[in-house]
Amino acid sequence: MVKQKFALEMKGVYKSYRDGDHMQPVLQDLNLTVSDGELVAVVGPSGLGKSTFLTIAGALQGADEGTVAVNGIQISGISQKGLTEVRRHQIGFIFQNHQLLPYLNAVDQLTAVQKLVGHRDEAAAKSLLTDLGLGDSLNKFPDQMSGGERQRTAIARAFINHPDLILADEPTASLDGARGYQVVEMIRREVKRFNKAGVIVTHDERVLDLMDRIFYLEDGRLVEKGA
Ligand SMILES: Nc1ncnc2c1ncn2[C@@H]1O[C@H](COP(=O)(O)OP(=O)(O)O)[C@@H](O)[C@H]1O
Ligand SMILES: [Mg+2]
C-alpha cells in the first residue's frame, strides 16, 4: 500500500486552556487533512478556537493529545529545535495583525526571514513584492504603509521561503471588501501556481467562493460544509 503524504494531517487533536480552577476545552477530537494544491477555509465565530487550531497546525504551539503532521513530518512530540526547523522551511504563517517588524522596510521584512534559512536574495524579495503589487512600496516602513500594503507585505514574507503549507489567520479582518478579496486571491494564486496547500481561518463569508473546501469549527471539531 502506498502511504499518502498530506500537506497537513491532524488526527484526534485536543486542546484545553486553564481558566481559573478548571480547564476550558477548545479543540476536541479535531481531524483535518489538506492535500497539495488545495485551499480550504475554517469558518466560525470569534472565540471558538480558530486561532488555537491554526497555531497548532503551524507548529507554534503543541496539542494536548493527537497527532499533527506537516508534509509527512510528525510535529507532535518533536523538540523545540525541530519545530523551529519545520516552521522555517515548511510553513508560511500570515498572522491576524500582520506582525511586521516596525524598524524594517518591506524588502528587509523578507530578507530577514530569508536569512533564517541561510539564503538572502534581495532580488527575489523585490520581485515577489512587485508581483504582489508593492513595487512602489519596496522601501516603505510599516507605519508608512496602508492596511492593505501591510497585509500584502506580510503575505510576501510568508511566501518568500517557498513553504509548502500556507496558513492565514483572518487575513481580511482589517481590510475592506474588495481589498480583502484581493488578498485571498493572492493566496489562492500561490497555492494553485506552485501546488501548495493553504488553510485560511476567517469569518468573512465574502471570500468563501475562492475556497476548494469549507469547514465549520463546531464543538471543538471541524465539520465539512456539504459533506
Ligand atoms: N493562551 C491562551 N490561554 C488561555 N485561554 C486561551 C488562550 N488562547 C485562547 N484562549 C481561549 O480559547 C478560546 C478560543 O480562542 P481562539 O483560538 O483565539 O478563538 P478564535 O480565534 O476563534 O477567536 C477562547 O475562549 C480564548 O479565550
Ligand atoms: Mg482568532
Side-chain angles (χ1 to χ4, degrees), residues 28-192:
Q28 299 188 79
D29 193 23
L30 180 140
N31 296 282
L32 177 68
T33 51
V34 185
S35 301
D36 293 340
E38 222 184 3
L39 182 66
V40 311
V42 169
V43 187
S46 227
L48 283 195
K50 298 187 302 299
S51 295
T52 299
F53 148 74
L54 205 67
T55 49
I56 291 173
L60 290 161
Q61 67 168 337
D64 297 336
E65 273 182 63
T67 60
V68 180
V70 174
N71 245 339
I73 306 167
Q74 277 296 337
I75 62 171
S76 0
I78 69 172
S79 66
Q80 277 304 325
K81 188 159 173 279
L83 281 179
T84 304
E85 284 297 296
V86 170
R87 276 202 304 273
R88 285 181 183 170
H89 292 274
Q90 321 278 338
I91 297 170
F93 203 102
I94 300 159
F95 295 91
Q96 183 165 1
N97 55 352
H98 65 77
Q99 306 266 4
L100 296 175
L101 297 166
Y103 49 85
L104 294 182
N105 71 20
V107 172
D108 290 338
Q109 302 283 343
L110 273 58
T111 56
V113 298
Q114 287 176 324
K115 278 192 233 161
L116 295 176
V117 298
H119 150 90
R120 189 176 184 284
D121 180 349
E122 198 173 296
K126 287 179 176 168
S127 152
L128 176 58
L129 287 163
T130 303
D131 195 36
L132 293 182
L134 293 164
D136 294 330
S137 308
L138 299 177
N139 298 315
K140 282 191 189 171
F141 291 84
D143 66 358
Q144 300 169 322
M145 297 175 188
S146 69
E149 286 173 331
R150 279 195 284 269
Q151 194 58 296
R152 278 182 281 151
T153 304
I155 287 173
R157 181 181 58 180
F159 291 172
I160 191 67
N161 287 342
H162 309 293
D164 289 316
L165 178 62
I166 295 162
L167 305 175
D169 195 351
E170 307 212 28
T172 70
S174 61
L175 305 176
D176 65 38
R179 283 181 207 288
Y181 198 84
Q182 279 171 6
V183 151
V184 178
E185 276 182 321
M186 284 170 182
I187 297 172
R188 181 175 175 90
R189 194 179 52 158
E190 182 82 0
V191 163
K192 296 297 170 183

Side-chain angles (χ1 to χ4, degrees), residues 41 43 205 208-209 211-218 222-227:
V43 187
E205 302 271 335
L208 295 185
D209 66 332
M211 305 295 165
D212 297 317
R213 290 191 292 153
I214 299 168
F215 294 85
Y216 291 93
L217 187 58
E218 287 176 11
L222 293 175
V223 180
E224 187 169 355
K225 182 185 177 188

